[in-house]
DNA sequence: TAGATTGTTAATCGATTAACAATC
DNA sequence: TAGATTGTTAATCGATTAACAATC
């Protein structure tokens, strides 16, 4: 019931709140403080927080500890669940070594690659692709990170689906086809950077006809 | 004039269109085709495309080549501009080696790190931090990718700003403070994965009270 | 001409913001 | 009590969708 009142937009901001709340040292924190820190509207913050934490107190604010717990609960970070990396290239291995996942209730358990690579320097196993299905089913892994070359993406994705993975974070720049039951999120780094280039006004798109001077966004 | 009619939402979809258009083999492409491929509304696609490409023809669609050119023009991909990586750890070096940036008119020119690292295996120079300001000013670099440890983020960001960088793509999970003239985009991979976990319904947030069965988003 | 497709105007929807009531 | 802060209701804003006119 409660979850149905959380809009998509609100949901997207919750991790942002959590990130900031974790840095707060005081016992209580007000919506104004959060808003200022994150550059959001005060009312928006209050509305968002009210939807997940009923412990806000007039004149005092939100108990930091309680707020953090509620955020973590809604975001499902109470328990750590395993994920696998598919494609143990440079990016794949960089992600394996990244320990920031744990803060968000996730842990890379293993990686898979078509070529048997030297994993002696890694703390986690890099296994041949053929073992993925068995391994994932055995360890009940349902989240995968896809970091293979574009040409191998579809085949790898198929194998992931076949291994019982239902959520894929893809770093591949080509779209992949999966059944409706599987969620794919594309993380296109080049694209993010390109957007930044545009927002920062570095593209050749700035026309001289716009006599307003530089637009403020 | 034209650019002012592009909403933020539309702008965000343009790279998506470009990605797909580049895969199209036919001479012309209809909004219906694009919509189907990307899972968007037909009218939405038409409205978006109409705002950047005046060459749409009833009964025929959009000339693929022309559409691609217009998209690239608006997205500022005609010319390649340089970017630097700050923090030559695993992720930083993985990004250096990634050649997908070029497709979006960007090129990693060099990396900087506090520790002088072995860059003999790299095709691009990894230079000591002290040289960043001079190097960036000389090469007129205004875009930077931040991949340092959280503890070093603020200092590194300050140096980037000082080097004339006005757009930062940050992979650091802590917020950084920069002047208003600098744009920062946070790329929190762990967070993306966490969102996926939620969307895919793997968090412990699913309540038994929701008797609708699984929600379809 | 007829039909398919584009482009635009109006209606709907969702999210943000403003105003204000509630409360410790 | 007075004041600061929360929570909610109504108004505004922006984006999407629906209906339809324009056109090759």
């Amino acid at each position: 019931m409660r979850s149905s009142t959380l809009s998509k937009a609100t949901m997207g901001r919750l991790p942002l709140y959590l990130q900031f709340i974790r840095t707060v040292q005081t016992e209580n924190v007000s919506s104004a403080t959060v808003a200022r820190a994150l550059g959001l509207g005060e009312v928006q913050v209050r509305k968002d927080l009210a939807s997940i934490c009923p412990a806000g107190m007039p004149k005092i604010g939100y108990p930091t500890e309680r707020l953090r717990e509620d955020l973590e609960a809604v975001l499902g970070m109470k328990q750590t669940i395993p994920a696998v990396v598919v494609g143990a290239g440079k990016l794949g291995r960089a992600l394996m070594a990244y320990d920031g996942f744990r803060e968000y209730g996730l842990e890379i358990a293993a990686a898979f690659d078509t070529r048997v690579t030297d994993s002696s320097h890694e703390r986690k196993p890099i296994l041949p692709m053929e073992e993925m299905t068995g391994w994932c089913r055995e360890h009940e892994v349902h989240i995968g990170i896809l970091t293979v070359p574009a040409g191998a993406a579809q085949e790898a994705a198929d194998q992931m689906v076949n291994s019982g993975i239902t959520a894929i974070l893809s770093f591949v720049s080509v779209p992949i086809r999966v059944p409706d039951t599987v969620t794919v999120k594309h993380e296109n780094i080049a694209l993010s950077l390109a957007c930044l280039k545009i927002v920062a006004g570095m593209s050749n798109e700035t026309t001289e006809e716009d006599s307003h001077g530089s637009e403020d966004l």
Side-chain angles (χ1 to χ4, degrees), chain A residues 10 33 44 54 58 61 64 70 115-116 183 214:
Chain A
T10 297
T33 307
Q44 186 170 72
T64 308
D70 286 354
R115 290 164 306 183
V116 179
T183 310
S214 63

Side-chain angles (χ1 to χ4, degrees), chain A residues 155-184:
Chain A
E155 195 185 337
D158 291 344
Q159 285 180 265
M160 288 168 86
V161 171
N162 200 37
S163 302
I165 284 172
T166 55
I168 298 174
L169 183 65
S170 170
F171 284 87
V172 181
S173 65
V174 300
I176 52 176
R177 288 177 308 279
V178 295
D180 286 350
T181 49
V182 176
T183 310
V184 176

Side-chain angles (χ1 to χ4, degrees), chain A residues 20-31 33-34 60-68:
Chain A
F20 173 69
I21 295 305
R22 281 174 172 166
T23 70
V24 173
Q25 300 293 336
T26 55
E27 190 173 349
N28 299 292
V29 62
S30 77
S31 57
T33 307
V34 176
I60 293 171
Y62 301 83
T64 308
E65 187 74 1
R66 170 69 191 279
L67 181 54
R68 207 202 69 228

Side-chain angles (χ1 to χ4, degrees), chain A residues 8 18 67 103 110 128 170 197:
Chain A
K8 228 168 144 184
L18 178 57
L67 181 54
E103 278 175 47
S170 170
K197 176 176 156 187

